[in-house]
Amino acid sequence: MRPISVRARLLLTLVVLLMLAGTFSVDAQRRGRKNRAPVPTPTPAPPTIDYTVGMSKPATHLLEVEMKMQWDSMPEKAQIKMAVWTPGSYLVREYARHVQDFVALDGAGNSLDWKKVNKNTWEIDTKGAKSIRVGYAVYANELTVRTNELNDDHAFFTPAALIMYPAGQIGAASTIRVKPFGNWKVATGLKPTSEPNTFSAPNFDILFDSPFEVSDYKEKKFMVRGVPHRYVMSGDGNYDLDQLAEDTAKIIEQAYQIFGELPYDDYTFIVNLRGGGGLEHLNSTALQFNKFGFAPRQRYMGFLGLVAHEYFHLWNVKRIRPLPLGPFDYENENYTKSLWVAEGATSYFEGVLLRRAGLMSAAEVLSSKARIAENLQSTPGRFQTSLEEASFDAWIKYYRTDENSINNQISYYDKGELVNFLLDIQIRGASAGAKSLDDVMRYLYAENFKKGKGYTPEEFQAACELMAGRSLENFFSKYVRGREEIAYDELLQPMGLRMVQTSMASDRAFLGAILRDGEGGVNVSRVVAGTPAYESGVNSGDLIVALDGNQVTSTNTFNFLLGMKRAGDKGRISYFRNGRLREMDITFGNTPASGYAIVPLRETTAEQKKLYSEYLFEDLQ
């Protein structure tokens, strides 16, 4: 091999250096690309959604809905869904069963193919369209606060039971335009736009939370704490709108005193003077009441109680909420063990607000709790179901009671109200009156709602214990999670009260079946567990036609004949079951004690008197 010349060696060195420089440059570029933040994929903009709700033929009970949806990234298979339940009413109601005349069109008006893929989902082949129009009708002939009704008097609709939504787009904003029939007006809690009878919703949670009343309603506006409120009354009745507004303002003021603010820009009370019940919403409520239920005073107090209950819900449930109740799954059950707080505590505060507003006396407050106790004590189901179990099973039991429900269920409303009443007394007693259930609600409002979270059963108990300054595990384990008999006297003692029975047990004959007048006899509607009727085999649905061979034509006749007997006596009942005449021998039992009252202890301490007066605003007698 010949040796390389000096010049050749210099040229070779230069080439190597240039090659190395290129390598370093490539490595630097690679390292730069590796360390550079990835370019984010743009999030597709949500669709623009507009609804029109018409009611051109009220006699058909058909609400006509048109949904227009424009989307920069319209899916090839657009799925449109309908809710199966509405928040505040814990039952799957299958709203889609009322849908008919479904059509789908593109922006040019051409028909698009569609199919049902499950009970509440319509799938549309968009064929590349940027906008689609969906039309359908909903049969609306059921007036409840969670359904829809259209007739020649009015239209009432709950958007969850009427308005479909694009799959995965619960957070999308929309507008809804209502085309009222004739001279009807439109009322809702939604924000109006600049267009007539058109309203905007920032998302479907708000839209579904805003019922509509469309009719020639009467309206009363009033202010509380500088915030506008109004009554929308659909139907005639014996109400006094001015008095109603005045009394409602007192209720609102007392709720303000608990929380220190009114968390809305305006509030609407929608009242239909037919049916019964109420449903809470963020800045409105839908109420139904008998048109002649505003007098005398006892009936009117029933309406004010309904108002106080649904109004208090705007804090307790709509803002202070059990963890599973939001964000909502509108297609499935949303289970919680805390409906005894959501509904029971609201029922309790209903009376608290009325008393503090000067609309209910202290005696009426205590009497209402004694009636609930009487009801509970006559319900064998109290040994079968706890408050947490009743809450959890609301989806399959509360709205589907039957003749045996008295034996295996309780109401989380009623027992919930009673237990919250007793819980408040425990907190007041343990804290020497420094704290109460008011403080629990304020705490959860500040620490849970305002921090964007719901509460768990454990957190509710912890909040109560924080206010009481001691453990309440014994109370919660027995009366909330457990099924133990309530120790009324022990729990009422801090307030200087006790529970007494107003009617003692007697040796009068007792059957234990709940009867109602029937055709040709008396019908057995329910049979209470553990009674002579239950043990002897009396069934719900039996038609009793004779007792000891004497014809029975009504409940009065049966009770007259039964009144001639004493406990331990035997009797022969003749009855029809499934169309066949049968007979049964029964040995009657003792008539149990009934009737309850909450009364002062015979001797009370200064501390008990103080707690009582602070709670009920009068002296303990």
Side-chain angles (χ1 to χ4, degrees), residues 57-190:
K57 298 178 180 179
T60 66
H61 310 295
L62 291 175
L63 288 166
E64 305 135 3
V65 182
E66 182 180 73
M67 172 187 182
K68 293 180 179 178
M69 185 173 71
Q70 186 166 340
W71 209 343
D72 290 339
S73 55
M74 182 75 71
E76 292 183 9
K77 304 289 185 181
Q79 290 193 342
I80 312 298
K81 292 180 172 288
M82 182 166 253
V84 305
W85 71 289
T86 192
S89 185
Y90 307 102
L91 177 69
V92 170
R93 297 184 182 276
E94 311 294 18
Y95 293 128
R97 64 195 170 98
H98 293 303
V99 173
Q100 64 183 65
D101 304 329
F102 187 93
V103 296
L105 307 170
D106 65 15
N110 301 308
S111 294
L112 296 174
D113 294 332
W114 61 271
K115 64 180 179 180
K116 285 287 290 290
V117 295
N118 61 32
K119 65 181 181 180
N120 68 314
T121 306
W122 289 255
E123 185 176 86
I124 302 168
D125 184 355
T126 63
K127 298 180 180 177
K130 293 295 184 183
S131 65
I132 61 174
R133 182 158 52 95
V134 172
Y136 60 95
V138 171
Y139 185 72
N141 195 27
E142 183 183 5
L143 181 61
T144 73
V145 293
R146 58 243 171 194
T147 52
N148 310 316
E149 181 178 73
L150 171 63
N151 55 33
D152 55 7
D153 289 326
H154 80 139
F156 172 82
F157 56 89
T158 301
L162 181 71
I163 300 300
M164 297 186 186
Y165 63 94
Q169 293 296 322
I170 287 292
S174 64
T175 65
I176 180 167
R177 176 187 173 219
V178 179
K179 297 168 66 176
F181 179 78
N183 66 343
W184 292 352
K185 300 167 288 187
V186 182
T188 182
L190 284 177

Side-chain angles (χ1 to χ4, degrees), residues 536-543 575-582 584:
S536 298
V538 175
N539 279 196
S540 172
D542 289 348
L543 178 69
Y575 62 99
F576 281 96
R577 180 181 296 172
N578 298 327
R580 290 184 58 202
L581 181 63
R582 307 184 185 199
M584 174 189 301

Side-chain angles (χ1 to χ4, degrees), residues 411-459:
S411 165
Y412 52 78
Y413 280 86
D414 294 345
K415 187 178 179 182
E417 177 180 348
L418 190 60
V419 167
N420 275 281
F421 163 63
L422 297 170
L423 177 59
D424 196 4
I425 292 176
Q426 302 318 294
I427 295 171
R428 290 169 182 268
S431 66
K435 299 293 182 181
S436 70
L437 205 56
D438 290 27
D439 295 281
V440 175
M441 289 295 161
R442 276 193 291 268
Y443 178 85
L444 293 173
Y445 186 62
E447 294 300 316
N448 287 72
F449 165 66
K450 291 201 169 182
K451 294 181 180 179
K453 59 182 181 178
Y455 64 84
T456 65
E458 294 76 19
E459 287 174 324

Side-chain angles (χ1 to χ4, degrees), residues 490-522:
E490 175 189 336
L491 298 174
L492 290 167
Q493 186 269 340
M495 203 74 75
L497 300 170
R498 64 191 175 105
M499 185 81 75
V500 298
Q501 290 188 309
T502 57
S503 175
M504 303 307 293
S506 75
D507 66 350
R508 288 178 301 163
F510 175 70
L511 177 62
I514 298 171
L515 308 175
R516 66 176 187 274
D517 289 346
E519 187 175 348
V522 293

